[in-house]
Amino acid sequence: MLSGPPADPAAQAGPGLPAAAVPAPTDDAPFAGGIPGGPSGRPAPGRSWTAPLLLCAAGTLALLVALLGPGLVARGTGELRIPGAGLTTVLRTVLFAALALHLGELLAPQLIRPVRGRPRTAVRSWAVYASLAGAAAAAGQIVRLAAVSDLGITETYGTREGGLLLLIANGLVLAACCAASRRPALALAPLALVIGAEALRAHPEAYSPEFGAALTVVHLTAASLWTGGLLYVLRTMWLWRGSPVAARALLGRYARLAIWLYVALAATGTASTLRRLPLDVVFTSAYGRTLLAKLALMAVVSVLAVAARRRMLRDADPSVAHLLARREQVVLGLVVVVSAILTVVPDPHWISLRP
């Protein structure tokens, strides 16, 4: 599971209970007995700056990792330098985050509807903005590819990677239009097209690219649902902080689904690693070093997820589990950045094959 920033206090009416339902919490209503604050239940003086400062720090760290990470992991490996690797990593991080946010918003409402006694409130949708940002990131990659290849934009569309990136950008624009319509679930079709195109783009190798692309489709879908779904759940829990029973039930429903997503991630990640990474270059290739960093972060995520689930089962008050899940979300954000680096660094096979 992941954790993220507090949700937008502003809510819109959603489907659910009749007028006698539990009233929506106010901005300063804490979890029952949970979030510390002043005697009136309002946050203590100065506390309002904590979340924005943490978000700025996390965003700065993610940007630095994206910009500097490819060069750091490739130091001393003897691998070819990838032009504009840092910028490409930033753009792909935005693309992956956009997929996660949009897919999470399509998944989480299915977990929310069966929750009994839930407030008649819903968090603000970020799907349109996320998909448009992802489309801009894909367009940015096309421009970067054209500059690096010394080609015109139209000629770049004719290349394999340029054509797939164009498909991704158009798919995300279409997904944004669906999200803004009265039937946002229609966005599933263009998002599936985007995931398929990204999987093909990430596997240009000559050895069984179809198998690698299929693994990436499952892996990217599971990762997006896990990350984006958790963020939406945490935003909703914050909005429901005056109804701890409903908030705890929602987190429990998400945790049960996250187990299966974790299994899918572990299985496809292991298969992809065995397929792409020769064992003799684990520590001497940029890909191997980046993968080790990702595994370390995933271990932290796993510990936080298990801890949050245990606290949720033991305590009626979901505030501690919510805090652990928020920390998990932050670490998962770094996992997204490291995953973007994996798509930028060179394929490690050439190192093991060189004389």
Side-chain angles (χ1 to χ4, degrees), residues 46-348:
R47 181 175 173 80
S48 60
W49 290 100
T50 302
L53 287 175
L54 289 177
L55 284 175
C56 289
T60 301
L61 176 60
L63 181 60
L64 289 175
V65 171
L67 289 173
L68 304 178
L72 292 176
V73 295
R75 183 170 297 175
T77 63
E79 294 174 295
L80 295 175
R81 176 182 172 274
I82 304 297
L87 176 59
T88 303
T89 301
V90 171
L91 294 173
R92 288 187 183 163
T93 298
V94 173
L95 175 60
F96 293 159
L99 278 173
L101 284 170
H102 203 149
L103 283 174
E105 288 201 10
L106 292 174
L107 167 71
Q110 312 308 314
L111 303 175
I112 292 172
R113 288 191 187 98
V115 176
R116 296 180 180 179
R118 70 185 190 276
R120 295 183 61 191
T121 52
V123 295
R124 225 176 251 171
S125 174
W126 293 348
V128 173
Y129 305 109
S131 288
L132 290 178
Q141 291 179 66
I142 295 174
V143 174
R144 187 209 63 86
L145 179 62
V148 170
S149 306
D150 197 21
L151 296 173
I153 295 295
T154 304
E155 295 171 305
T156 304
Y157 294 156
T159 66
R160 180 182 185 275
E161 182 170 1
L164 289 172
L165 286 171
L166 179 61
L167 185 61
I168 290 171
N170 289 333
L172 286 169
V173 170
L174 182 58
C177 294
C178 292
S181 71
R182 294 184 178 180
R183 301 187 65 182
L186 291 176
L188 280 172
L191 289 177
L193 183 66
V194 168
I195 290 175
E198 171 59 24
L200 290 173
R201 188 212 59 75
H203 291 277
E205 67 272 3
Y207 50 94
S208 62
E210 298 83 3
F211 182 62
L215 288 174
T216 299
V217 165
V218 177
H219 193 83
L220 184 55
T221 301
S224 298
L225 291 173
W226 184 6
T227 307
L230 179 58
L231 178 58
Y232 195 94
V233 165
L234 290 173
R235 294 176 62 208
T236 302
M237 287 181 67
W238 182 261
L239 189 64
W240 291 1
R241 56 193 181 275
S243 303
V245 174
R248 182 176 180 270
L250 176 58
L251 185 59
R253 291 182 60 83
Y254 170 79
R256 288 189 289 273
L257 174 64
I259 294 174
W260 297 106
L261 295 176
Y262 185 90
V263 170
L265 282 171
T268 54
T270 301
S272 295
T273 298
L274 294 176
R275 176 181 173 276
R276 298 198 71 172
L277 182 63
L279 294 179
D280 57 333
V281 296
V282 170
F283 298 100
T284 58
S285 67
Y287 190 95
R289 294 173 179 177
T290 305
L291 183 62
L292 291 175
K294 181 178 179 179
L295 291 176
L297 290 172
M298 285 301 298
V300 175
V301 168
S302 302
V303 170
L304 290 172
V306 171
R309 181 173 177 80
R310 286 182 176 177
R311 292 306 298 258
M312 179 188 63
L313 294 175
R314 287 168 46 190
D315 302 337
D317 180 6
S319 59
V320 176
H322 184 268
L323 177 61
L324 291 169
R326 288 173 61 188
R327 292 173 179 172
E328 179 191 343
Q329 180 84 68
V330 172
V331 181
L332 273 174
L334 291 177
V335 172
V336 172
V337 179
V338 173
S339 298
I341 295 176
L342 275 177
T343 68
V344 174
V345 295
D347 189 314

